Amino acid sequence: AVVSTQSAHYGREGKPVPSGILPALLKFVAAVFFISWTFVIPADWEPFFDADWRESHSFLYAAGYLYLMCFITRCNYYFAWTLADSVSNLSGFGFNGYKENGGAKWDKITNVYPHKTECSSSLKVLTDNWNVGTALWLRRVCYERSVYAPTAMTYLLSATWHGFYPGYYGCFMSATLFLLTSRKLRRVVRPKFLGSASIKMFYDALTTVCSLLLINFASIQLCLLSFERNYVLYKHFYCLPHIVCILIYVFCPSPKPKKE
């Protein structure tokens, strides 16, 4: 006779660990959804290196195409991590207690939250929901131990961990600039948009778009890898995200310290 291992284990609340079949099935469906995008619209970066294509399309069109290609590339990661999470849940791993409404949580070993990644209103929230396990390891190993520039040191370690292509270092150094700038600007500007729900909604929508644009301009270097190809693409966009972020970081006043 086969004995179920699920019913023999109990969670922290003293309740039996529920079946992971349903969450595993839902995550499997999500994984299939993400990988389907890569067949419907394969990632193609070559148009950016065609001078005729660059001249015949507007700046906004090129930016929209860049976002689409980056999204398709992220779908590969969403597929792999979501499928791994599904298999783990089906094996009984990943149970993380119960929600306030009594529903079971199966996110203990979840490594990515696609909806939070694509719809986050800040770069910090976006990065916190991408490659969660590695991000936690980097925080404990480097960020919390660095006595100087912890964000830059953490991203430098992450770049070295990835490898030695120039694109890795360009990506994570760009991410450092974007994250520090958005953090500084958010502390100064966000309190001014909390007066009403409609104004806050506008602010959240605007920062969501900006966060996705910035992370796309940083992560593109992970896809192209070489310095020459990244140079061509950044030249086409006039390095605007980097220039704007540098100007904001330099000239934006630092937030006033909170009174104790």
Side-chain angles (χ1 to χ4, degrees):
V2 178
V3 179
S4 173
T5 57
Q6 293 282 1
S7 60
H9 293 82
Y10 291 82
R12 291 190 298 269
E13 295 83 356
K15 301 179 182 178
V17 174
S19 171
I21 294 178
L22 180 58
L25 179 61
L26 294 175
K27 291 175 182 178
F28 176 78
V29 172
V32 173
F33 169 77
F34 289 125
I35 199 62
S36 298
W37 277 99
T38 65
F39 292 100
V40 176
I41 311 175
D44 182 13
W45 302 103
E46 294 310 312
F48 284 112
F49 309 103
D50 183 347
D52 294 334
W53 185 92
R54 295 197 303 268
E55 293 177 1
S56 61
H57 292 85
S58 67
F59 183 92
L60 291 178
Y61 182 92
Y65 185 82
L66 173 66
Y67 165 75
L68 180 60
M69 292 300 100
C70 287
F71 170 72
I72 296 300
T73 302
R74 287 195 294 273
C75 281
N76 291 284
Y77 295 90
Y78 293 153
F79 163 74
W81 284 329
T82 306
L83 181 63
D85 202 8
S86 172
V87 173
S88 297
N89 292 167
L90 192 61
S91 302
F93 300 104
F95 178 66
N96 198 24
Y98 293 90
K99 306 175 184 177
E100 294 182 358
N101 61 7
K105 294 189 296 183
W106 286 88
D107 60 354
K108 194 168 187 177
I109 54 177
T110 297
N111 206 42
V112 69
Y113 297 90
H115 62 292
K116 294 181 180 179
T117 301
E118 297 296 329
C119 301
S120 58
S121 59
S122 73
L123 279 178
K124 183 184 183 304
V125 174
L126 191 154
T127 54
D128 285 346
N129 289 283
W130 172 268
N131 203 355
V132 177
T134 302
L136 181 61
W137 174 77
L138 287 169
R139 169 174 288 276
R140 291 177 175 175
V141 169
C142 185
Y143 186 85
E144 295 177 352
R145 301 182 183 187
S146 297
V147 295
Y148 177 76
T151 300
M153 293 297 103
T154 302
Y155 278 124
L156 179 60
L157 173 61
S158 183
T160 307
W161 178 78
H162 276 77
F164 297 101
Y165 281 104
Y168 293 144
Y169 295 88
C171 169
F172 288 105
M173 291 303 99
S174 297
T176 301
L177 170 64
F178 296 159
L179 183 60
L180 293 177
T181 302
S182 64
R183 183 186 299 169
K184 184 177 183 180
L185 189 63
R186 181 181 177 86
R187 291 173 180 173
V188 175
V189 174
R190 188 173 185 273
K192 304 181 186 300
F193 288 85
L194 301 179
S196 67
S198 58
I199 295 178
K200 184 179 182 299
M201 185 180 298
F202 168 78
Y203 171 83
D204 289 340
L206 180 62
T207 52
T208 297
V209 172
C210 291
S211 297
L212 280 175
L213 286 175
L214 290 177
I215 203 64
N216 286 337
F217 272 99
S219 60
I220 181 64
Q221 299 184 67
L222 287 175
C223 303
L224 302 181
L225 295 178
S226 72
F227 174 82
E228 293 78 8
R229 289 168 69 84
N230 279 297
Y231 174 78
V232 171
L233 188 141
Y234 272 51
K235 182 181 178 181
H236 179 63
F237 289 105
Y238 308 106
C239 284
L240 276 180
H242 295 77
I243 294 173
V244 171
C245 283
I246 290 173
L247 292 176
I248 291 175
Y249 189 81
V250 172
F251 293 105
C252 179
S254 299
K256 297 179 180 178
K258 296 181 180 180
K259 295 181 180 180
E260 296 183 358

